[in-house]
Amino acid sequence: MRIILDTARLPTALSLKALACCLLLTTVLLTPPAAAQYSEGSFVMLRGSSGSINLEGPAVTGEDEEIEGEDIDGDGFRLEGRFGFGDHWFLDARIGSVSYEELDLDRSALGIGYRRVLREGSWSWKGAFIAAAERAETDGLESFQSDPRFNGLGDGQGGSENGLSLTFEALGTRGPWELRAFTRYINLGDGDGPSFGLGAGYAFSDRWTVNAGFEGTWVEDSDIGIDIAERHLFLGISRSF
C-alpha cells in the first residue's frame, strides 16, 4: 500500500504538531532498548501541571499596555520526548495544552539539540543547547470580551503564531537522582521573552523516572491575543531508552 501525503495542503499548526507527535511515536517504537538514564539519551515524558496565567493583551484588556490583568488558575498536560543520534546530537519535541476557565492555550515545539559533558564526579553534569521551531495558539478568548474583571476593554480575538526558541539546559545525575535547570529565549511573531525551569527526578528503575518541578514563561506582544505570563508546578513520569 502506498500513501501519498501532500504537506503543502496542511495548515502550519497541524504540520508542526504532526511532526512532534511522529517524533515522539518514533522514539517509543523504533529506539532500541538500553539502560540509559533520562539525562543520558532518548526518553518520553508525560506530565501534568497546575498553575496560573496573568491575562493581559488586546483580547482581554484592550490595547492600553498600562492596564493590568488578573491571574486565573489552570491545569494542563504536556508530552515531550527526545531521540538521540550520534554521540552528542538529539531531536527534541514538545506538545501540550493548558485550560484556564474558557481559555485553552496550546503550545508545541520541534527542534534539534547538542549536548556534551561539563563535569564528571560525584555529580555528573551535562549541558545542552537546543534550537526549536515554536507554535502557540489560543482558543476561547471571546468569552473574556468586555469582561468587567478585565476592565471591559478586550476585543475577544485570539490567534496563533509561529516562532523560534533557543534553550540552554544543565542536567545533573547522582545515583538515582537527577537535577535539571534550563533557560530559554522565545520569539513569537513580534513578541519575545524568557522562560526558565527547575526540576528534579528520581529513577525508581532502569527505565522509569518520576519528575517534579517549576516552569515559568513570559512573552509579550505575540499576536495570539494575550501576553504569555505563566507559572506552573508539574509532576510527571518519564521512560528512557
Side-chain angles (χ1 to χ4, degrees):
M1 180 176 67
R2 184 182 180 189
I3 299 175
I4 300 175
L5 179 64
D6 185 0
T7 57
R9 297 184 179 180
L10 289 174
T12 303
L14 293 179
S15 299
L16 183 57
K17 289 181 179 179
L19 285 172
C21 289
C22 287
L23 173 60
L24 295 173
L25 186 61
T26 300
T27 302
V28 174
L29 297 178
L30 300 184
T31 306
Q37 293 290 330
Y38 156 63
S39 59
E40 295 285 336
S42 304
F43 73 91
V44 172
M45 180 195 296
L46 177 64
R47 74 185 210 187
S49 65
S50 181
S52 64
I53 188 171
N54 185 271
L55 274 186
E56 294 184 12
V60 290
T61 57
E63 299 289 348
D64 190 342
E65 297 182 358
E66 300 300 320
I67 296 178
E68 296 185 0
E70 294 184 11
D71 289 345
I72 59 174
D73 298 331
D75 301 301
F77 77 94
R78 188 162 86 191
L79 180 65
E80 59 183 273
R82 284 187 184 169
F83 178 75
F85 60 95
D87 294 331
H88 302 286
W89 296 93
F90 59 90
L91 297 177
D92 184 81
R94 292 173 274 119
I95 183 170
S97 179
V98 184
S99 295
Y100 303 98
E101 295 185 9
E102 302 300 322
L103 163 66
D104 292 329
L105 176 57
D106 301 328
R107 296 176 61 194
S108 55
L110 182 64
I112 187 169
Y114 177 85
R115 124 185 100 222
R116 63 176 302 145
V117 175
L118 299 178
R119 181 180 180 274
E120 295 282 6
S122 58
W123 277 94
S124 297
W125 289 95
K126 290 188 175 183
F129 289 97
I130 306 166
E134 297 271 347
R135 173 80 176 179
E137 53 189 311
T138 53
D139 182 52
L141 280 172
E142 63 275 2
S143 64
F144 298 100
Q145 184 175 5
S146 301
D147 191 317
R149 291 180 301 166
F150 305 100
N151 305 292
L153 299 175
D155 59 22
Q157 300 298 310
S160 59
E161 190 59 79
N162 299 315
L164 299 171
S165 67
L166 296 174
T167 303
F168 173 73
E169 183 179 82
L171 302 164
T173 57
R174 181 177 181 176
W177 294 99
E178 302 170 348
L179 294 177
R180 174 178 180 261
F182 77 86
T183 181
R184 177 178 297 138
Y185 168 78
I186 303 173
N187 178 275
L188 287 170
D190 295 330
D192 59 5
S195 179
F196 72 89
L198 298 170
Y202 180 80
F204 56 89
S205 76
D206 289 341
R207 301 280 182 84
W208 295 94
T209 301
V210 62
N211 306 272
F214 167 85
E215 188 170 316
T217 302
W218 294 268
V219 178
E220 296 183 351
D221 303 322
S222 55
D223 284 340
I224 61 173
I226 58 171
D227 298 337
I228 301 176
E230 292 185 293
R231 301 161 300 279
H232 288 280
L233 296 174
F234 68 83
L235 180 64
I237 189 167
S238 61
R239 187 183 191 277
S240 56
F241 297 87

